[in-house]
Short mmCIF file of all heavy atoms in Angstrom, two decimals:
data_model
loop_
_atom_site.label_atom_id
_atom_site.label_comp_id
_atom_site.label_asym_id
_atom_site.label_seq_id
_atom_site.Cartn_x
_atom_site.Cartn_y
_atom_site.Cartn_z
N GLY A 299 3.20 19.12 2.15
CA GLY A 299 1.84 18.62 2.33
C GLY A 299 1.82 17.12 2.50
O GLY A 299 2.85 16.47 2.62
N ALA A 300 0.63 16.56 2.52
CA ALA A 300 0.45 15.12 2.67
C ALA A 300 0.72 14.46 1.32
O ALA A 300 -0.20 14.06 0.61
CB ALA A 300 -0.94 14.80 3.18
N ASP A 301 1.99 14.36 0.99
CA ASP A 301 2.33 13.92 -0.36
C ASP A 301 3.19 12.66 -0.42
O ASP A 301 3.72 12.33 -1.46
CB ASP A 301 3.04 15.04 -1.10
CG ASP A 301 4.40 15.37 -0.51
OD1 ASP A 301 4.64 15.04 0.66
OD2 ASP A 301 5.23 15.95 -1.24
N LYS A 302 3.30 11.94 0.68
CA LYS A 302 4.03 10.67 0.67
C LYS A 302 3.00 9.55 0.54
O LYS A 302 2.12 9.40 1.38
CB LYS A 302 4.86 10.47 1.94
CG LYS A 302 5.85 11.59 2.25
CD LYS A 302 6.82 11.84 1.13
CE LYS A 302 7.88 12.83 1.50
NZ LYS A 302 7.49 14.22 1.41
N LEU A 303 3.11 8.79 -0.52
CA LEU A 303 2.16 7.72 -0.80
C LEU A 303 2.83 6.38 -0.56
O LEU A 303 3.93 6.12 -1.06
CB LEU A 303 1.69 7.81 -2.25
CG LEU A 303 0.69 6.77 -2.72
CD1 LEU A 303 -0.65 6.97 -2.00
CD2 LEU A 303 0.49 6.88 -4.22
N CYS A 304 2.18 5.53 0.22
CA CYS A 304 2.67 4.18 0.48
C CYS A 304 1.69 3.20 -0.14
O CYS A 304 0.50 3.24 0.15
CB CYS A 304 2.78 3.91 1.98
SG CYS A 304 3.27 2.21 2.34
N THR A 305 2.20 2.35 -1.02
CA THR A 305 1.42 1.27 -1.59
C THR A 305 1.99 -0.02 -1.03
O THR A 305 3.18 -0.28 -1.17
CB THR A 305 1.50 1.26 -3.12
OG1 THR A 305 1.08 2.54 -3.61
CG2 THR A 305 0.62 0.17 -3.71
N LEU A 306 1.16 -0.80 -0.39
CA LEU A 306 1.60 -2.05 0.22
C LEU A 306 0.88 -3.20 -0.47
O LEU A 306 -0.34 -3.22 -0.55
CB LEU A 306 1.27 -2.03 1.72
CG LEU A 306 2.13 -2.92 2.59
CD1 LEU A 306 2.17 -2.38 4.00
CD2 LEU A 306 1.68 -4.33 2.59
N LEU A 307 1.66 -4.12 -1.03
CA LEU A 307 1.12 -5.28 -1.74
C LEU A 307 1.50 -6.55 -1.01
O LEU A 307 2.65 -6.72 -0.63
CB LEU A 307 1.70 -5.35 -3.15
CG LEU A 307 1.43 -4.21 -4.10
CD1 LEU A 307 2.54 -3.21 -4.04
CD2 LEU A 307 1.29 -4.75 -5.49
N LEU A 308 0.53 -7.42 -0.79
CA LEU A 308 0.78 -8.74 -0.21
C LEU A 308 0.39 -9.80 -1.22
O LEU A 308 -0.72 -9.76 -1.76
CB LEU A 308 -0.07 -8.97 1.03
CG LEU A 308 0.31 -8.35 2.34
CD1 LEU A 308 -0.62 -8.87 3.43
CD2 LEU A 308 1.72 -8.59 2.71
N ARG A 309 1.27 -10.71 -1.48
CA ARG A 309 0.94 -11.87 -2.33
C ARG A 309 0.51 -12.99 -1.40
O ARG A 309 1.32 -13.52 -0.65
CB ARG A 309 2.15 -12.27 -3.15
CG ARG A 309 2.03 -13.54 -3.95
CD ARG A 309 1.02 -13.52 -5.09
NE ARG A 309 0.99 -12.35 -5.92
CZ ARG A 309 1.63 -12.20 -7.08
NH1 ARG A 309 2.41 -13.13 -7.54
NH2 ARG A 309 1.49 -11.08 -7.77
N VAL A 310 -0.79 -13.30 -1.41
CA VAL A 310 -1.35 -14.32 -0.54
C VAL A 310 -1.33 -15.64 -1.28
O VAL A 310 -1.80 -15.73 -2.42
CB VAL A 310 -2.80 -13.95 -0.13
CG1 VAL A 310 -3.40 -15.00 0.78
CG2 VAL A 310 -2.82 -12.59 0.55
N LYS A 311 -0.80 -16.67 -0.65
CA LYS A 311 -0.73 -17.99 -1.27
C LYS A 311 -2.14 -18.53 -1.48
O LYS A 311 -2.95 -18.53 -0.56
CB LYS A 311 0.06 -18.96 -0.39
CG LYS A 311 1.52 -18.60 -0.27
CD LYS A 311 2.24 -19.56 0.65
CE LYS A 311 3.68 -19.13 0.83
NZ LYS A 311 4.38 -19.95 1.82
N GLY A 312 -2.41 -18.96 -2.69
CA GLY A 312 -3.70 -19.55 -3.00
C GLY A 312 -4.84 -18.56 -3.04
O GLY A 312 -6.00 -18.95 -2.99
N GLY A 313 -4.55 -17.28 -3.13
CA GLY A 313 -5.61 -16.27 -3.16
C GLY A 313 -5.18 -15.05 -3.94
O GLY A 313 -4.10 -15.01 -4.52
N SER A 314 -6.03 -14.06 -3.97
CA SER A 314 -5.71 -12.83 -4.69
C SER A 314 -4.85 -11.92 -3.81
O SER A 314 -4.82 -12.04 -2.59
CB SER A 314 -6.98 -12.11 -5.11
OG SER A 314 -7.78 -11.82 -3.99
N ASP A 315 -4.15 -11.01 -4.46
CA ASP A 315 -3.28 -10.07 -3.76
C ASP A 315 -4.10 -9.09 -2.93
O ASP A 315 -5.26 -8.80 -3.24
CB ASP A 315 -2.44 -9.28 -4.75
CG ASP A 315 -1.45 -10.14 -5.51
OD1 ASP A 315 -1.28 -11.32 -5.14
OD2 ASP A 315 -0.86 -9.63 -6.47
N ILE A 316 -3.47 -8.57 -1.89
CA ILE A 316 -4.05 -7.49 -1.10
C ILE A 316 -3.22 -6.25 -1.40
O ILE A 316 -2.00 -6.26 -1.29
CB ILE A 316 -4.00 -7.81 0.41
CG1 ILE A 316 -4.86 -9.03 0.73
CG2 ILE A 316 -4.46 -6.60 1.23
CD1 ILE A 316 -4.76 -9.51 2.15
N ILE A 317 -3.88 -5.17 -1.81
CA ILE A 317 -3.21 -3.93 -2.15
C ILE A 317 -3.87 -2.80 -1.37
O ILE A 317 -5.08 -2.62 -1.44
CB ILE A 317 -3.30 -3.63 -3.66
CG1 ILE A 317 -2.73 -4.79 -4.47
CG2 ILE A 317 -2.60 -2.32 -3.99
CD1 ILE A 317 -2.98 -4.69 -5.95
N LEU A 318 -3.04 -2.05 -0.62
CA LEU A 318 -3.54 -0.91 0.16
C LEU A 318 -2.69 0.31 -0.13
O LEU A 318 -1.47 0.21 -0.33
CB LEU A 318 -3.47 -1.21 1.66
CG LEU A 318 -4.43 -2.27 2.15
CD1 LEU A 318 -4.07 -2.70 3.55
CD2 LEU A 318 -5.83 -1.74 2.14
N ARG A 319 -3.32 1.48 -0.12
CA ARG A 319 -2.61 2.74 -0.32
C ARG A 319 -2.97 3.69 0.81
O ARG A 319 -4.13 3.81 1.18
CB ARG A 319 -2.98 3.36 -1.65
CG ARG A 319 -2.41 2.61 -2.82
CD ARG A 319 -2.64 3.37 -4.13
NE ARG A 319 -1.99 2.65 -5.20
CZ ARG A 319 -2.57 1.71 -5.93
NH1 ARG A 319 -3.81 1.38 -5.71
NH2 ARG A 319 -1.90 1.10 -6.89
N GLU A 320 -1.95 4.39 1.30
CA GLU A 320 -2.14 5.42 2.33
C GLU A 320 -1.29 6.62 1.97
O GLU A 320 -0.17 6.47 1.46
CB GLU A 320 -1.73 4.91 3.71
CG GLU A 320 -2.70 3.95 4.33
CD GLU A 320 -4.02 4.58 4.73
OE1 GLU A 320 -4.08 5.82 4.92
OE2 GLU A 320 -4.99 3.83 4.84
N ARG A 321 -1.80 7.81 2.25
CA ARG A 321 -1.08 9.05 1.98
C ARG A 321 -0.96 9.84 3.27
O ARG A 321 -1.94 10.01 4.00
CB ARG A 321 -1.82 9.87 0.94
CG ARG A 321 -1.09 11.12 0.53
CD ARG A 321 -1.88 11.86 -0.51
NE ARG A 321 -1.72 11.14 -1.76
CZ ARG A 321 -1.80 11.71 -2.95
NH1 ARG A 321 -2.08 12.98 -3.05
NH2 ARG A 321 -1.63 11.02 -4.04
N GLU A 322 0.25 10.30 3.55
CA GLU A 322 0.54 11.07 4.77
C GLU A 322 1.58 12.13 4.44
O GLU A 322 2.14 12.16 3.34
CB GLU A 322 1.09 10.15 5.87
CG GLU A 322 0.07 9.24 6.50
CD GLU A 322 -0.85 9.96 7.46
OE1 GLU A 322 -0.45 10.98 8.06
OE2 GLU A 322 -1.98 9.50 7.62
N ALA A 323 1.88 12.95 5.44
CA ALA A 323 2.90 13.99 5.26
C ALA A 323 4.31 13.39 5.25
O ALA A 323 5.21 13.95 4.63
CB ALA A 323 2.79 15.03 6.37
N ASP A 324 4.51 12.26 5.92
CA ASP A 324 5.83 11.63 5.92
C ASP A 324 5.70 10.15 5.55
O ASP A 324 4.65 9.53 5.73
CB ASP A 324 6.52 11.78 7.28
CG ASP A 324 5.79 11.06 8.38
OD1 ASP A 324 4.64 11.45 8.68
OD2 ASP A 324 6.36 10.10 8.93
N ALA A 325 6.77 9.61 5.01
CA ALA A 325 6.77 8.23 4.50
C ALA A 325 6.53 7.23 5.63
O ALA A 325 5.80 6.25 5.44
CB ALA A 325 8.08 7.94 3.79
#
C-alpha cells in the first residue's frame, strides 16, 4: 500500500524550519 513516508526538513538561515511529509507507495 501507500506506506512509504518521506519527511523533508529544511533548516532556513535566520528563519524557522520547513517540514513537509508525503506518503506514497514507493520511497
